[in-house]
Amino acid sequence: MTGGRVVAVLGASQGIGRAIAARSVADGDRVVMVARTAPVLAGARAAIDPGGRRSVTIACDIEQADASELVVAEARRSFGEAPSIVVHSAGSFIAGRLGELGDGELAELFQRNVVRTMSVVRRLMERRPGAHGHVVVVNSTAGLQLHPTNPVYSATMIALRSMTDALRNELNPHGVRVTSVFSGRCDTPMLREVLRHEGAAFDPSLALRPSDVAAAVAAALAVGDRAEITEIVVRPMRSATATATAWPASSPQRL
């Protein structure tokens, strides 16, 4: 498998991550698809790259200490070089307010959504080939302002935004661009979990499709070397027939 950029997509088995992997394959990239569940990951690869010519899979937890080494080793074995582009699209959601969650849940959510995200991305960039690279972190519009219903999850997304900014400051001098993509409510398994918590029904007319977010990621990656898109916010356009009570306009879009 030769030609095209080498892209590592973390969280590639479903939802937004899968759509990003699909878009990358369609754009001629060589893609390392990473996720925890091997059967789901294999099914995603078979759907987006039936011949298996432009993608490989790694079934591992990106939180494990050697995750970055596994990704780089597989990329070099399959494509002859380490990834120069890393797209992180994996995270955890826990419903509830600050007083409703235990200390262990708080610590674990920040570890998963912030600390471990930055750890694996930073290590992958340290092993990139050449002088250039690009990191894209898929965040949530819950990272733009604190959400009153699920403030702890929102706080982790705000922290992730700040840490992504810090990563940009450190990597820009080394030729690496860093982009945050803030997705509004998107038709993913996580959205359904959120709606169950809220007791709300899913209305597809009020949600993004994963391919919408993937298009935003592709736009950031397509910018010339002299420019950097630092942040993109993608929100669903509300249906003209949507009821005012479906998803209140005063509630920030997220996930």
Side-chain angles (χ1 to χ4, degrees):
M1 288 179 275
T2 60
R5 305 168 299 186
V6 178
V7 182
V9 180
L10 312 181
S13 63
Q14 60 183 342
I16 292 172
R18 172 172 166 164
I20 292 168
R23 177 63 183 258
S24 296
V25 167
D27 287 346
D29 297 326
R30 295 168 290 168
V31 182
V32 183
M33 300 174 61
V34 186
R36 286 180 293 180
T37 309
V40 180
L41 186 59
R45 184 195 184 200
I48 69 177
D49 184 25
R53 294 184 294 272
R54 304 208 65 82
S55 65
V56 293
T57 61
I58 300 177
C60 74
D61 191 332
I62 60 172
E63 298 171 9
Q64 64 191 59
D66 63 344
S68 58
E69 287 79 5
L70 292 173
V71 173
V72 170
E74 183 57 37
R76 286 176 173 162
R77 185 188 70 81
S78 299
F79 305 134
E81 61 184 273
S84 60
I85 298 171
V86 176
V87 181
H88 189 285
S89 182
S92 297
F93 171 79
I94 297 179
R97 302 175 187 274
L98 185 60
E100 299 169 344
L101 301 179
D103 292 346
E105 291 175 303
L106 291 174
E108 182 62 19
L109 195 60
F110 273 92
Q111 281 288 321
R112 284 182 174 271
N113 286 351
V114 185
V115 178
R116 294 168 189 168
T117 294
M118 287 294 105
S119 177
V120 69
V121 168
R122 185 180 68 245
R123 289 174 181 171
L124 283 169
M125 279 294 100
E126 290 172 352
R127 292 160 174 79
R128 74 189 186 282
H132 300 286
H134 202 141
V135 172
V136 178
V137 177
V138 178
N139 201 310
S140 161
T141 50
L144 298 175
Q145 67 182 80
L146 192 67
H147 191 273
T149 304
N150 293 300
V152 178
Y153 170 77
S154 183
T156 67
M157 295 295 98
I158 292 170
L160 180 60
R161 180 188 190 184
S162 296
M163 290 293 283
T164 304
D165 290 343
L167 186 69
R168 182 183 302 109
N169 289 340
E170 293 184 12
L171 292 182
N172 273 177
H174 302 286
V176 179
R177 294 177 289 183
V178 179
T179 303
S180 286
V181 176
F182 299 94
S183 172
R185 292 196 168 197
C186 187
D187 184 0
T188 65
M190 188 181 288
L191 175 58
R192 285 165 170 74
E193 182 179 351
V194 172
L195 293 176
R196 283 194 298 271
H197 168 67
E198 295 177 349
F202 174 67
D203 183 344
S205 72
L206 300 179
L208 296 167
R209 294 179 179 177
S211 58
D212 298 325
V213 184
V217 172
L221 295 177
V223 170
D225 290 341
R226 292 179 296 178
E228 176 188 43
I229 296 177
T230 58
E231 294 187 346
I232 300 177
V233 179
V234 188
R235 296 180 183 270
M237 288 291 292
R238 293 183 180 275
S239 168
T241 60
T243 62
T245 58
W247 290 348
S250 61
S251 177
Q253 304 274 359
R254 71 201 193 289
L255 300 180

